[in-house]
Amino acid sequence: MFATQALPLRRDRQLGSKSLFGLAWLVSLAALLPLGFILWITIQTGWETASALIFRPRVAELLVNTVLLEALTLPACIALAVALAWLTERSDLPGARLWSWLAVAPLAIPAFVHSYAWIGLAPGMHGLFAAMLVSVLAYLPFLYLPVSAQLRRLDPALEDAAASLGLAPWRVFLRVVLPQLRIAICGGSLLIGLHLLAEYGLYAMIRFDTFTTAIVDQFQSTYNGPAANMLAGVLVLSCLGLLALEVLIRGDARYARVGSGAPRPVTRRRLGRARVPALLLPLALAGLGLGIPAYTLARWLAAGHGAAWQAPELAAAFGETLLYALSGALVTTLAAAPMAWLSVRAPGRLQRMLEGSHYYVGALPGVVVALALVTVTVRIAPLYQSVATVLLAYALMFLPRALVGLRSGIAQVPVELERAAVSLGRRPLLAILSVTLRLAAPGVAACMALVAMGITTELTATLMLAPNGTTTLATQFWSLTNELDYAGAAPYAALMIVLSLPLTALLHAQSRRASGQ
């Protein structure tokens, strides 16, 4: 009897996996469109011309700038995020809940608004260290969120066992706690690394040259497609290197807890005399990441005397931004779901190749994704300057955000629950929807919030692909700042923050809810 039941069960699982593989393949093919576009331009250009465009001093300079930016920013973000997460989640830091919220709040401020704020305060702020400082302040929450959430979920019994063996507290942290934060650190670092590769507005204002700023400048100034696409090809290789490093460090370990009972609540460490010095870290980060933008925006809003708030374009830009953000978040999350499940439940070489095709596109600047879609929609499908094309561009650009969030949420759901549902007669796809995704709902909501925030501040692809007459908060802000109308741009920046704040609050709330707090 058991043998006759096992065969249909195994066949159902195989059919479910094949269905998800098929969906993941479709998304991967769509994600490969920009890469295909770059290769097509390379072939048309010819190897002699392409090599001359790649192997030149300017490319070496951009590569050094990009590597230095990654090498300085990522370790600083990791150290600050881990320290801040430990203070707010594992110590008796006064006002820990408030500091936790303030650590996430900078996500509501677009990266190019951070640079706008700092340039408004210190007009001579340019170069590598200025770019690193603003990048850390803008992107630190991408690491703080997963690390703090993971700290809340850890079972302190392992730490107690290590302490009982005579290990000092700092050794317990390094040998027991830190290894269990590996997935959270790798996922957050990957998101930050991809953003550093793809960011344009922040570095354009700071006047720090990266591959992305060079690509956009190349298109805007000389419309030299081959030269810009060769730079994009080097950028793709940089992304692949980052992906390979993340996969190597992440490994295959599982961190879901299965067993009777629940983990004991964590006893917060007493800081004692270190309490006052410990407060300096969250206070400094909140002051630099929130205080500076708030001060600069208030100053420019006061300088405008309220006239900019009466512009009819303001309400239209707000409505269109909200509509695109919600629609794009839904489409992107649905597109990333099959690959997220395969990455956690059926890891393997093929799956990792598919996963890499989902990730690499997040490192491309929006202008490259947009140009690839322009080529396809003009020559093959008559969808140029349509809402569908804009949503496809958003889905491709923000797949990494959705995939990291979904992967983390699914990884926290024990696979045994999913298998139990299948053994009781549920079809595999229904079991995934009714059990896995239902339990991973906090992660799903969080990744949708992350995608929506990204769409709210997206600039280049919207400018190139949106239907005529489309105005968003980001495009209007950028247009006014290019005209040096900082007072006129301030209301658009303020509305982007207002629109992102509820999403940031949702992200923070879901992060705490996922860990039972």
Side-chain angles (χ1 to χ4, degrees):
M1 180 178 66
F2 295 103
T4 57
Q5 289 182 348
L7 185 59
L9 179 60
R10 189 179 300 114
R11 186 181 298 116
D12 283 346
R13 288 177 181 171
Q14 291 174 351
L15 289 175
S17 297
K18 287 180 179 179
S19 299
L20 291 173
F21 261 117
L23 294 173
W25 269 107
L26 287 176
V27 176
S28 296
L29 289 175
L32 289 172
L33 277 176
L35 181 59
F37 174 73
I38 294 171
L39 292 175
W40 178 64
I41 293 293
T42 303
I43 293 171
Q44 280 199 330
T45 303
W47 171 246
E48 185 176 348
T49 304
S51 60
L53 292 172
I54 293 174
F55 300 105
R56 54 192 173 113
R58 176 58 172 165
V59 175
E61 177 189 345
L62 295 173
L63 185 60
V64 169
N65 285 353
T66 302
V67 170
L68 287 175
L69 182 64
E70 296 273 359
L72 291 175
T73 304
L74 288 178
C77 285
I78 292 171
L80 291 172
V82 172
L84 187 59
W86 188 87
L87 286 174
T88 56
E89 304 300 333
R90 290 300 188 92
S91 76
D92 62 344
L93 186 75
R97 284 290 183 98
L98 174 62
W99 295 121
S100 176
W101 158 243
L102 292 178
V104 178
L107 276 180
I109 305 174
F112 53 79
V113 174
H114 276 282
S115 59
Y116 158 84
W118 281 91
I119 290 296
L121 184 68
M125 187 175 173
H126 306 298
L128 173 62
F129 289 99
M132 186 201 85
L133 172 64
V134 180
S135 297
V136 169
L137 296 174
Y139 295 127
L140 181 64
F142 284 119
L143 251 168
Y144 171 80
L145 268 172
V147 171
S148 61
Q150 188 66 22
L151 274 175
R152 288 192 293 270
R153 285 193 289 261
L154 295 184
D155 191 340
L158 295 176
E159 300 165 53
D160 294 341
S164 69
L165 295 175
L167 292 181
W170 66 274
R171 286 185 178 273
V172 172
F173 180 81
L174 291 177
R175 299 177 67 173
V176 177
V177 177
L178 195 58
Q180 296 183 81
L181 300 179
R182 182 171 58 181
I183 286 183
I185 291 175
C186 287
S189 298
L190 181 60
L191 276 180
I192 293 176
L194 292 176
H195 276 81
L196 297 180
L197 291 175
E199 178 60 41
Y200 169 69
L202 188 162
Y203 303 124
M205 283 192 173
I206 294 292
R207 296 181 189 174
F208 178 71
D209 290 339
T210 64
F211 281 109
T212 298
T213 61
I215 291 168
V216 176
D217 291 344
Q218 191 81 57
F219 275 117
Q220 290 181 339
S221 59
T222 64
Y223 300 98
N224 192 336
N229 276 284
M230 295 309 101
L231 293 177
V234 179
L235 191 56
V236 170
L237 293 177
S238 302
C239 173
L240 292 177
L242 194 63
L243 288 170
L245 181 63
E246 191 269 346
V247 169
L248 180 65
I249 297 175
R250 188 209 324 164
D252 297 321
R254 284 183 56 200
Y255 296 96
R257 184 180 186 274
V258 180
S260 60
R264 176 177 57 79
V266 175
T267 301
R268 290 180 176 263
R269 299 277 183 181
R270 294 185 177 276
L271 294 173
R273 294 180 180 179
R275 180 177 297 184
V276 174
L279 277 170
L280 294 178
L281 177 62
L283 184 62
L285 290 175
L288 295 174
L290 296 173
I292 298 298
Y295 170 76
T296 304
L297 275 178
R299 186 160 66 92
W300 284 118
L301 287 172
H305 302 293
W309 290 102
Q310 301 174 9
E313 297 87 359
L314 194 61
F318 182 84
E320 291 195 36
T321 301
L322 181 61
L323 181 61
Y324 275 119
L326 295 177
S327 304
L330 179 60
V331 171
T332 307
T333 303
L334 291 174
M339 189 65 253
W341 185 90
L342 290 172
S343 175
V344 175
R345 296 293 192 240
R349 291 185 179 180
L350 178 59
Q351 289 86 332
R352 287 187 173 174
M353 288 177 59
L354 292 176
E355 189 177 358
S357 68
H358 283 57
Y359 275 127
Y360 95 93
V361 72
L364 293 178
V367 66
V368 176
V369 177
L371 283 171
L373 293 180
V374 166
T375 302
V376 172
T377 54
V378 168
R379 299 193 178 193
I380 301 175
L383 295 172
Y384 178 58
Q385 288 192 323
S386 67
V387 173
T389 305
V390 176
L391 292 179
L392 177 57
Y394 291 156
L396 295 179
M397 294 168 61
F398 297 110
L399 268 178
R401 289 194 183 196
L403 188 54
V404 168
L406 286 173
R407 189 181 69 185
S408 178
I410 293 173
Q412 296 302 318
V413 181
V415 68
E416 289 77 9
L417 300 179
E418 190 178 303
R419 290 172 179 169
V422 174
S423 68
L424 293 174
R426 288 282 179 92
R427 293 287 183 182
L429 290 178
L430 290 178
I432 293 170
L433 292 173
S434 62
V435 177
T436 306
L437 292 184
R438 183 178 178 182
L439 294 176
V444 174
C447 78
M448 288 186 67
L450 275 174
V451 174
M453 279 190 288
I455 293 173
T456 298
T457 61
E458 204 288 319
L459 183 63
T460 50
T462 307
L463 285 171
M464 297 184 64
L465 295 172
N468 290 330
T470 298
T471 57
T472 65
L473 295 174
T475 57
Q476 286 295 103
F477 171 85
W478 193 254
S479 174
L480 291 168
T481 53
N482 280 340
E483 298 170 4
L484 300 181
D485 186 4
Y486 290 155
Y492 293 92
L495 281 181
M496 277 189 281
I497 296 173
V498 168
L499 190 56
S500 297
L501 271 175
L503 301 175
T504 305
L506 172 64
L507 195 62
H508 183 257
Q510 293 292 0
S511 174
R512 303 197 71 87
R513 189 178 303 168
S515 55
Q517 296 192 13

